[in-house]
Amino acid sequence: MGSAGSALPQLKRLIQRQADAWNRGDGTAFANTYAEDAEFITFDGTHLRGRPEMARNFQIYFDNYTKGTRLVFTKVPVTLRYPTPTTAVMITNGCVANPGEPECRPDSHSVQTYVAAHRERGWELVSFQNTRVQNLLPPPRT
């Protein structure tokens, strides 16, 4: 059984594999960072269910809408907690950088929530939610 303490390096590797697949525009490799029965909610609210649907739809995104972009994580993890010894909830920050952009634009930041479960194959991603940061409130006073 995986322990909570050993999850962080494995989760970071999954996230890096995900970024590498995005950066190559490879929908199948991107989907393979998730469990077969995973669910994925995109920044626009699209709800993808299962690895095959994720692979198919992400290839459409990569070929038509996000070609040449890079997945950039600015903080991994922001928080990491273990509701059970076999479940991890990780929150990260990042963006999709357009071609030629060295880093995230101020208007492109998102917060991501990953849920991972320790299963027969080890730790695998089972759920994802991405929300664009909108900053509707003024910054706190200092």
Side-chain angles (χ1 to χ4, degrees), residues 5-122:
S6 66
L8 183 57
Q10 293 176 39
L11 294 172
K12 283 185 168 185
R13 280 193 298 274
L14 281 171
I15 301 304
Q16 186 58 55
R17 280 182 42 219
Q18 188 177 83
D20 292 344
W22 181 290
N23 299 345
R24 289 191 314 273
D26 186 336
T28 298
F30 185 85
N32 282 339
T33 64
Y34 288 88
E36 185 68 31
D37 61 346
E39 297 192 49
F40 189 107
I41 311 233
T42 67
F43 81 96
D44 69 352
T46 302
H47 188 171
L48 304 175
R49 293 172 178 92
R51 197 184 295 150
E53 183 177 333
M54 290 169 60
R56 183 175 53 256
N57 284 288
F58 268 96
Q59 198 59 58
I60 292 169
Y61 289 146
F62 294 147
D63 291 345
N64 297 287
Y65 306 108
T66 60
K67 190 175 194 121
T69 63
R70 290 180 306 112
L71 190 59
V72 176
F73 290 99
T74 55
K75 190 160 184 193
V76 176
V78 173
T79 63
L80 178 60
R81 62 185 182 89
Y82 302 93
T84 73
T86 60
T87 307
V89 178
M90 182 171 62
I91 296 176
T92 63
N93 288 343
C95 77
V96 173
N98 289 323
E101 293 178 340
E103 57 189 36
C104 298
R105 296 178 324 280
D107 67 340
S108 68
H109 286 272
S110 293
V111 176
Q112 304 83 30
T113 303
Y114 292 89
V115 178
H118 192 276
R119 295 179 170 175
E120 289 179 20
R121 295 187 332 154

